[in-house]
Amino acid sequence: MTTVPFLKRAREAHKVVVLTGAGVSVASGLKPYRGPGGLWTTNSELASRVVAGVDAEILWTVTCDWRKELANAQPNAAHSALVAFERNLTTRGGAFTLITQNVDGLHTKAGSLNVIEFHGTLKRSRCAAACGAAPYIDERDEGPVPTCERCGAPVRPDIVLFNEVIGAHEDWTAKRALRDADLFVAIGTSGTVSPASNFVRSAAYAGAHTVLMNLEAPDSAPFTEVIRGEAQTLVPELFA
Ligand SMILES: [Zn+2]
């Protein structure tokens, strides 16, 4: 229930935080994680191959598969609309923070500037032994597991695996943005699991209007407003 239309609210907001999930990348040809056709639902063993402590070769095989899929994926209308919205908002003196759970790098590719890649990105690799060598851009998608030039340990994608902790920088910058937000919008994510479920509580505590935009809406989402639809349709309309 809401009295102010979203379009007007978005145009008048000053500090906007957007959280995006897999639903935003579906129109770019990438699979969602859950639901019909989702990565975890169509391949029941896949989740066990991207979990903390998994064998380096197993993880590298998944990484190569995902990088091959990503190589041809282009940002869609939802990504582009968020780029334009950020530009307009910052031009009028507002602040925009885009937190994404996606590891596909498409927001950055589209041109979004203030992006927090909460779960890391497949576009980078890093030393699996965390020897201190800096993560680096890496598009390799075949061959044996590369090794760290500094310490010789296997290399892995710079993403957060199941049972791993979110990066301190990502966690801190996300929380700081939410603390000041007057509008929080979660797009293409169910809104019921972490981090979305925590973010919406933080944003509401800060006094923000909270909105969920997703194809499916849970029965009891802790959002002020729920708008159902596909990201590539809703986002260009509502962030115009
Ligand atoms: Zn190393």
Side-chain angles (χ1 to χ4, degrees):
M1 187 206 76
T2 180
T3 48
V4 181
F6 182 84
L7 195 61
K8 177 174 162 60
R9 198 180 282 281
R11 284 177 179 163
E12 291 175 354
H14 295 287
K15 293 184 175 176
V16 179
V17 177
V18 168
L19 169 72
T20 63
V24 167
S25 294
V26 168
S28 295
L30 301 178
K31 289 174 185 158
Y33 296 114
R34 298 181 173 80
L39 279 178
W40 310 142
T41 38
T42 55
N43 185 346
S44 57
E45 285 181 14
L46 183 60
S48 69
R49 300 165 71 197
V50 288
V51 70
V54 71
D55 178 79
E57 283 185 31
I58 292 175
L59 179 57
W60 186 249
T61 303
V62 177
T63 304
C64 290
D65 290 348
W66 282 355
R67 281 186 179 159
K68 285 192 185 95
E69 266 189 58
L70 263 188
N72 299 316
Q74 297 300 326
N76 63 63
H79 297 101
S80 305
L82 291 170
V83 174
F85 183 78
E86 177 178 27
R87 190 164 53 228
N88 292 336
L89 177 58
T90 52
T91 298
R92 62 180 170 85
F96 180 81
T97 304
L98 177 52
I99 308 168
T100 187
Q101 297 168 250
N102 301 337
V103 295
D104 54 36
L106 289 177
H107 286 298
T108 305
K109 191 171 186 176
S112 285
L113 298 176
N114 192 24
V115 181
I116 301 171
E117 290 173 323
F118 206 68
H119 291 158
T121 174
L122 274 170
K123 307 258 177 197
R124 283 193 309 262
S125 290
R126 66 175 171 84
C127 172
C131 71
Y136 54 92
I137 299 292
D138 187 3
E139 291 181 346
R140 285 172 288 187
D141 60 9
E142 55 188 12
V145 191
T147 51
C148 174
E149 289 189 1
R150 182 164 154 171
C151 76
V155 155
R156 56 166 282 178
D158 194 14
I159 61 175
V160 179
L161 304 178
F162 286 118
N163 295 340
E164 286 187 332
V165 177
I166 300 297
H169 174 75
E170 286 75 14
D171 197 37
W172 162 248
T173 45
K175 280 178 181 155
R176 193 178 51 183
L178 288 161
R179 199 175 58 196
D180 289 336
D182 55 22
L183 176 63
F184 171 71
V185 190
I187 308 169
T189 174
S190 72
T192 53
V193 292
S194 178
S197 54
N198 297 330
F199 286 176
V200 65
R201 275 189 285 273
S202 300
Y205 186 73
H209 183 78
T210 60
V211 184
L212 175 67
M213 293 184 186
N214 196 34
L215 205 49
E216 290 162 25
D219 292 335
S220 59
F223 290 81
T224 331
E225 185 177 2
V226 174
I227 305 173
R228 291 186 60 172
E230 293 176 331
Q232 66 273 21
T233 308
L234 284 182
V235 178
E237 272 176 24
L238 294 172
F239 284 85

